Amino acid sequence: MRSFFGVDTDSSMLESTIKIDPSRSPFMRGRLDVFFEGEKSEDLIEQVKQLELNGSTFKVMYVKVTGPDKVSFKERRQIEREVGLNIPGEPDLNHPEIVFALINTGGRWVFGEYHSSEAVWLHHQQKPHSYSTSLSTRVARAVANIAVPNPTGVKAIDPCCGIGTVVVEALSMGIDMVASDINPLILPGTRENIAHFGYSTEVEFRDIREVTGNYDVAVIDMPYNLCSVITPEEQLEMLQSTREFANKVVIVTIEPIDSIIENSGFKITDRCVVRKGSFEREIIVCEK
């Protein structure tokens, strides 16, 4: 079985054999575990007759995508009805135990079980403590995803955690992440934010140069506000220290720091830009 992942930023469908919880991503609408496929919708009608629901109720929905494979509203409802009538089971449009979905994409029809995304990150916007310069919860969740695509066996650290925005998102996705910061005044709020959502982890008052142990990945949101301006030399020292305890680092920065990254011994493997109005942050993935 393979899965399709719906992305709400465009009409693309990412295909994978790994069953990822769609709620991990703030940009994913849902996941479709594909059971059947065909060149025409009629091909699916014959195949769904094989389903065994063992008494579970169901409903069928058409997942709309933009692009060349558009299907009108009337056609979508008609296809849903035709497919649903051929599924051996009890339909329930309001509270189904199983949700099936149809998609017409890439010139073919696919059918399977649909798992919708829950916008967990929206709840995390209501933290007891926050700062205007903190990452948004949506970006923080994306950063945690980029840092740790698969949390199994991965140890992560946010050694400049601030108020804990990334840490909360990471913990909510089952990522084993610890945190620390050089500012002792902020840490009580960090701990309260984490506990507010029922999570727990180590949060230490510690300079990044004093971090010990070994971690698979570190997340560093470079300080930039008026109270924490740092020089290029200090940025280099931060990354050199990170290289001592982490094999990979995901850096969030508002300044060009490619030369600093190169001098620290890390290699840039990927990057993207996040924009909010005229304000830009760059997210840079680096490895040893």
Side-chain angles (χ1 to χ4, degrees):
M1 181 187 294
R2 68 184 188 282
S3 299
F4 282 96
F5 301 93
V7 183
D8 67 5
T9 52
D10 54 36
S11 62
S12 63
M13 300 295 293
L14 306 180
E15 187 174 349
S16 174
T17 56
I18 302 173
K19 288 188 177 182
I20 298 173
D21 180 359
S23 297
R24 277 182 58 97
S25 171
F27 305 102
M28 192 178 292
R29 293 198 304 268
R31 185 188 82 220
L32 177 67
D33 296 336
V34 179
F35 294 168
F36 311 118
E37 62 181 293
E39 294 183 1
K40 300 177 294 183
S41 60
E42 289 80 3
D43 297 333
L44 299 179
I45 291 174
E46 290 303 314
Q47 295 181 82
V48 298
K49 294 177 181 179
Q50 307 170 26
L51 288 170
E52 296 181 7
L53 303 190
N54 299 316
S56 297
T57 59
F58 74 93
K59 81 170 183 178
V60 177
M61 59 182 284
Y62 183 95
V63 177
K64 184 173 62 174
V65 296
T66 58
D69 302 311
K70 288 184 179 179
V71 178
S72 70
F73 176 82
K74 185 177 180 179
E75 289 178 296
R76 295 198 302 269
R77 298 291 87 85
Q78 181 64 28
I79 294 167
E80 288 173 349
R81 283 194 295 270
E82 290 176 353
V83 172
L85 287 172
N86 284 277
I87 295 176
E90 182 68 27
D92 185 341
L93 300 183
N94 297 316
H95 304 288
E97 294 171 282
I98 301 174
V99 176
F100 294 118
L102 297 148
I103 294 177
N104 181 21
T105 180
R108 70 186 191 277
W109 288 83
V110 294
F111 171 93
E113 186 174 356
Y114 186 75
H115 305 269
S116 61
S117 174
E118 179 186 357
V120 177
W121 56 276
L122 282 176
H123 305 304
H124 298 159
Q125 291 180 346
Q126 308 303 318
K127 294 187 290 293
H129 304 277
S130 61
Y131 292 95
S132 59
T133 55
S134 299
L135 293 176
S136 69
T137 54
R138 190 171 191 176
V139 172
R141 195 168 187 85
V143 168
N145 256 316
I146 291 168
V148 188
N150 182 354
T152 305
V154 175
K155 289 178 62 179
I157 184 171
D158 186 344
C160 306
C161 66
I163 205 64
T165 308
V166 171
V167 181
V168 168
E169 297 307 315
L171 295 175
S172 75
M173 292 187 282
I175 296 172
D176 179 8
M177 178 177 279
V178 297
S180 58
D181 201 278
I182 197 173
N183 182 356
L185 300 179
I186 203 174
L187 293 179
T190 307
R191 297 186 183 102
E192 186 177 349
N193 280 344
I194 292 169
H196 179 76
F197 298 106
Y199 308 125
S200 62
T201 192
E202 172 190 299
V203 180
E204 298 289 339
F205 165 49
R206 185 170 52 195
D207 190 295
I208 192 171
R209 293 167 295 187
E210 299 171 353
V211 175
T212 58
N214 296 294
Y215 298 90
D216 298 291
V217 60
V219 175
I220 298 180
D221 185 3
M222 284 291 187
Y224 62 89
N225 62 44
L226 295 177
C227 298
S228 55
V229 174
I230 60 174
T231 66
E233 291 75 22
E234 290 171 318
Q235 290 176 330
L236 176 60
E237 189 175 1
M238 286 178 65
L239 294 181
Q240 287 174 330
S241 297
T242 303
R243 199 172 182 277
E244 295 298 316
F245 60 79
N247 298 320
K248 170 183 171 184
V249 61
V250 177
I251 303 166
V252 182
T253 178
I254 65 167
E255 301 174 309
I257 59 169
D258 285 22
S259 61
I260 296 173
I261 293 171
E262 182 179 346
N263 290 336
S264 73
F266 278 111
K267 295 180 180 179
I268 297 173
T269 59
D270 207 350
R271 68 200 310 155
C272 66
V273 175
V274 178
R275 295 181 177 87
K276 184 177 181 180
S278 60
F279 185 66
E280 290 187 357
R281 279 186 170 101
E282 190 167 19
I283 299 170
I284 306 174
V285 181
C286 309
E287 296 183 8
K288 286 184 177 179

